[in-house]
Structures are given as structure tokens and as C-alpha cells.
Amino acid sequence: MPFLLGICIGLPYFGAGTNASEPIEFPSSRTYFYVGGHYLSDGTDSDVYTDQMYVERLTPVAGTSRSEPIIFIHGQAQTGTNWLNTPDGREGWASWFLRHGYEVYIVDQPQRGRSPYMPGDGTLATYSAEQISELFTGVQHYDQWPQAHLHTQWPGAGQKGDPIFDQFYASQIQFQNDSTEVQRINQAGGAALLDRVGAAHIIAHSQAGPLGFLIADARPDLVKSMVLLEPQGPPFQQRIISNSTAIVLPYGLTSIPLTYDPPVSNQTTVHLPFEDHAPAAPGLTDCLLQSSPPKRLDHLAGVPMLIVTSEASFHAGFDYCTVKYLQQGGVDAQYYNLSEAGIHGNAHFFFMEKNNLEIATHVRKWIDDPSLRVSSL
Ligand SMILES: *[C@@H]1O[C@H](CO)[C@@H](O)[C@H](O)[C@H]1NC(C)=O
Ligand SMILES: *[C@@H]1O[C@H](CO)[C@@H](O)[C@H](O)[C@H]1NC(C)=O
Ligand SMILES: *[C@@H]1O[C@H](CO)[C@@H](O)[C@H](O)[C@H]1NC(C)=O
Ligand SMILES: *[C@@H]1O[C@H](CO)[C@@H](O)[C@H](O)[C@H]1NC(C)=O
């Protein structure tokens, strides 16, 4: 049956190491549910439901030893699969945190993955294999920023045709391209999730950085701590490799309103006043911070935050600006510079790279023990 054979040999599957009887997943029980969303009527008795958030709840069979669960939120073009096993079949962060006694909630952002997208709502976009390789998995081959050549931790070549890359790229999906819409529906979904599960820690990656800020802004008392893995930034701008200076985050950290004291108007054509600060060291960018006197990030100020940045990522040069911006707004934000901590060779998807569990160990220590939360910037 040549047709079926063609399907079968398309993408190699990486099982649990060399011995299929060795489970890589920590035993857990799974349930799922949806939060948020609403019926959408076109007035013809053919209503649809939209903007709901898919949530997968994993509970360790051995029982939980931590009082608050962890909520994982993936970034652009991703889904909740990011936190399951890695593309080369090793243990991912969800299982690892279950192993350490946490209950885990994994979401698919509204309009993404198992959270349905309703045709006609905005425009969908995708990333090509070449973009994923250039920005995330094979950055050393492109050398687009000063730290890119240091990348060694992605399993495999990180380029099209490499079987591990092909597995990862197969998991990349289309996304709503209107970032204000994305931020609005994720803030609503995240708040509904916290209302349902109660106080939790949030771990958010990349494009989910602003989503984490907005969810914490809506439910500051329910976010025990937040770990931001290379959150979208830096403040006001989105510098990917284009070095674009366009203002895409008019509220500093987000495209839609955050709570400041004194308050700011929510006009999207206007942004918070900012001033430019010179780079702190070679290889780093300048930072746009609030003009003096800075307004306080009134709701975020009570939420401890850890910003984690890898050595070779396009974020290596600018994440420190996000930390400074948060600190300027009164937030207890700490910078975890993996390179400085002796963890080398990672890029933007470090939570699934070869040393992903070494990094998880440090993150867990920070979440577990508030006495270890020492400011580093
Ligand atoms: C998505 O948005 C970006 C930035 O606004 C734009 O450059 C790009 O063309 C859009 N893509 C699609 C498919 O609309
Ligand atoms: C972006 O800026 C960095 C640092 O100034 C520079 O090394 C790099 O070449 C620039 N990239 C582009 C695409 O202009
Ligand atoms: C700004 O506020 C007005 C009035 O409350 C509201 O209608 C509008 O949707 C808001 N705009 C944004 C971008 O949040
Ligand atoms: C992170 O650590 C590396 C290595 O010590 C250093 O070169 C870099 O400047 C640091 N980044 C920031 C933002 O401090």
C-alpha cells in the first residue's frame, strides 16, 4: 500500500529514549475543560461559541505536595504541546513539575489549537520553517544578532530536513494576527481560569509575556508568582531581527490597557511617554523606559516576577529592559541571565532544549522558596 507507506515514513517519531518500556512522563491523571468565551449570534438561530480557552489539568497520581498549581501559557504559533515531551522525546516541563509535586494546567490560547477559531475573525498568519529556524532553533546558522553564534543546545541541526526540527515544525500552527484581539481574549480567558482554579503560579513564554501581565493585572490576588521566559518585548517595541522601532506596545508591556497609577488614557493612537536609555553593556540594546516621574504598575506591583533569558537568543540583548521597566513601575522583578548563571548555549525555546530540566530546576527553586528571590539587576 504505497499511499499509506508514504504517510507513515513522512515524519519520524521519537519515542521514549531507546527503550519504549521506560516511561518519560510522570504518572498523572488528566481532565480538560473550557473557560471564558461567549455565544456569538448572527440573528439567524445558528449561534456559535467563541473565544473560549482549552485547559488541560494534570494531577500527579502520587499526590500534590505544593499548595498552588502551575499554569503554562505557550507563545506565538505554539500550542500546549510545547510543555509535554520534547520534539526529540525527552521529558518536558509539565511532567517535570508534576514529578516535583505540582498540579499543572496547560492552556491552548483562545483561537488556537483546541480552542476553536471562528472563520472570519481577523487574519490568520503562520511562520515558515525558515523563520522558525532563523529565530529559534538554528540561530547559529544565520548569525542575525551578536549572541546567535553561541547557540548549541537545540537537539539536532534546527533546520528543515533534520528529523527533530521536522517534528517541532509539524507542531507549529496558524495564529490570530491581531495582537490587540489576542491580548483581549487571553486576558479574559486567563482571568476566568484563575477564578475557577484559585491562586496559581504562571509560567509564560514569549508572546504570552504580555498575556501574563494582563492576566495578573486582572487578577493580581490570584497570581502567586510569574515566570516569564523571554517575554515579548522590549518595552514599547518588538525588536525581532528587523530592529523595528515601531510602537507595538503602547502601554509599555502590552497593546491594551494595564492599570497604572496615576492612570493612563486608553487611546491606542497614544502611548505612554518614554525616554531612551543607553545600552548597559556591549551586545545589549538601549532601553525605552517611562519618562520621569514613572507611573506605578499598580496591580502588578504585588506579583513577584522572574524573567529568564538565554545566552544566544534574539532576546539576549533586550530582555533586561523589560526587567528595568517592571522595576521602574514598582514590580518585584528579577532577571535570571542564564549565561551569567553558567548555563550556556540556549536560545528562545530553551525549555525544550537539551538542558531543559537543568533550567527547570532553577525556576522551581525560585517558585518554591521566596527567600531565594534576590534581585540581580
Ligand atoms: C501579520 O501582522 C504583521 C505585523 O502587523 C504583518 O507584517 C503581516 O503581514 C501580517 N500577516 C498576515 C498574514 O496578515
Ligand atoms: C540590529 O541591531 C544590531 C545591534 O545594533 C545589529 O548588530 C544588527 O545588524 C541589526 N540588524 C538589522 C537587521 O538591522
Ligand atoms: C477605551 O475605552 C473605551 C471606553 O471605555 C472603550 O470603548 C474602548 O474599547 C477602549 N479601547 C481600548 C483599546 O481598550
Ligand atoms: C548576561 O550574562 C552575560 C555573561 O555574563 C553578559 O555578557 C551579559 O551582558 C548579561 N546580560 C545582561 C543583560 O546583563
Side-chain angles (χ1 to χ4, degrees):
M1 297 210 292
F3 176 68
L4 282 180
L5 188 64
I7 291 172
C8 294
I9 63 173
L11 280 173
Y13 169 70
F14 293 85
T18 49
N19 183 351
S21 67
E22 269 176 42
I24 54 164
E25 291 289 312
F26 191 71
S28 64
S29 68
R30 183 187 60 230
T31 53
Y32 78 90
F33 56 90
Y34 284 85
V35 287
H38 55 93
Y39 277 106
L40 197 61
S41 174
D42 67 354
T44 66
D45 285 343
S46 52
D47 294 358
V48 292
Y49 204 83
T50 190
D51 297 346
Q52 65 271 41
M53 178 187 262
Y54 171 86
V55 185
E56 190 163 322
R57 175 194 191 192
L58 301 176
T59 308
V61 170
T64 53
S65 58
R66 302 296 197 281
S67 43
E68 287 97 14
I70 292 180
I71 296 172
F72 285 101
I73 314 179
H74 60 80
Q76 192 80 303
Q78 313 301 310
T79 69
T81 63
N82 269 198
W83 313 105
L84 302 175
N85 56 265
T86 66
D88 58 332
R90 290 170 297 107
E91 185 175 29
W93 276 28
S95 172
W96 192 87
F97 275 91
L98 287 162
R99 192 182 292 285
H100 289 87
Y102 283 95
E103 185 171 53
V104 161
Y105 291 83
I106 305 173
V107 312
D108 282 355
Q109 289 182 24
Q111 304 192 1
R112 197 93 69 79
R114 286 161 291 191
S115 304
Y117 164 80
M118 285 303 148
D121 186 354
T123 309
L124 294 178
T126 53
Y127 289 143
S128 69
E130 290 75 9
Q131 282 174 299
I132 295 287
S133 185
E134 182 175 0
L135 284 172
F136 306 145
T137 61
V139 305
Q140 68 277 23
H141 305 299
Y142 298 85
D143 217 19
Q144 292 285 325
W145 50 89
Q147 298 86 354
H149 68 282
L150 299 169
H151 188 214
T152 55
Q153 292 284 3
W154 181 264
Q159 291 181 301
K160 207 170 64 176
D162 177 278
I164 298 168
F165 176 86
D166 292 347
Q167 270 292 323
F168 179 58
Y169 189 64
S171 76
Q172 305 296 293
I173 75 167
Q174 72 284 356
F175 52 89
Q176 169 63 259
N177 206 31
D178 176 346
S179 60
T180 48
E181 162 97 335
V182 168
Q183 293 186 16
R184 186 182 60 73
I185 59 184
N186 275 282
Q187 182 178 36
L193 176 56
L194 288 169
D195 289 342
R196 172 159 172 160
V197 309
H201 305 279
I202 292 178
I203 297 182
H205 179 229
S206 195
Q207 175 236 359
L211 312 183
F213 295 134
L214 287 162
I215 293 165
D217 197 63
R219 295 291 184 275
D221 297 337
L222 294 180
V223 182
K224 292 294 287 185
S225 77
M226 192 147 69
V227 178
L228 298 142
L229 313 176
E230 302 194 355
Q232 180 189 341
F236 299 102
Q237 298 172 336
Q238 176 164 36
R239 287 183 205 172
I240 304 203
I241 56 175
S242 68
N243 290 344
S244 167
T245 53
I247 302 301
V248 294
L249 302 169
Y251 296 90
L253 301 168
T254 58
S255 313
I256 65 171
L258 276 175
T259 309
Y260 282 92
D261 180 27
V264 289
S265 95
N266 76 346
Q267 309 262 312
T268 48
T269 50
V270 173
H271 54 74
L272 256 77
F274 57 72
E275 56 197 32
D276 205 344
H277 292 251
L284 307 182
T285 70
D286 54 332
C287 296
L288 303 185
L289 301 176
Q290 286 193 65
S291 303
S292 292
K295 295 174 187 290
R296 181 180 156 87
L297 283 157
D298 213 28
H299 289 184
L300 299 189
V303 180
M305 296 189 196
L306 181 71
I307 287 73
V308 187
T309 304
S310 65
E311 181 174 60
S313 173
F314 63 102
H315 280 248
F318 61 72
D319 275 0
Y320 83 104
C321 302
T322 303
V323 181
K324 285 186 177 297
Y325 189 93
L326 287 160
Q327 291 172 343
Q328 190 192 30
V331 181
D332 173 16
Q334 286 163 42
Y335 188 52
Y336 188 40
N337 180 348
L338 292 181
S339 170
E340 204 167 82
I343 300 179
H344 298 292
N346 291 103
H348 193 52
F349 276 80
F350 55 79
F351 60 91
M352 56 174 73
E353 292 193 315
K354 289 187 265 187
N355 56 349
N356 63 333
L357 301 184
E358 182 187 2
I359 300 170
T361 303
H362 290 262
V363 167
R364 179 180 64 81
K365 281 187 189 151
W366 182 88
I367 293 174
D368 272 357
D369 187 353
S371 72
L372 294 176
R373 295 177 188 169
V374 183
S375 185
S376 60
L377 257 186

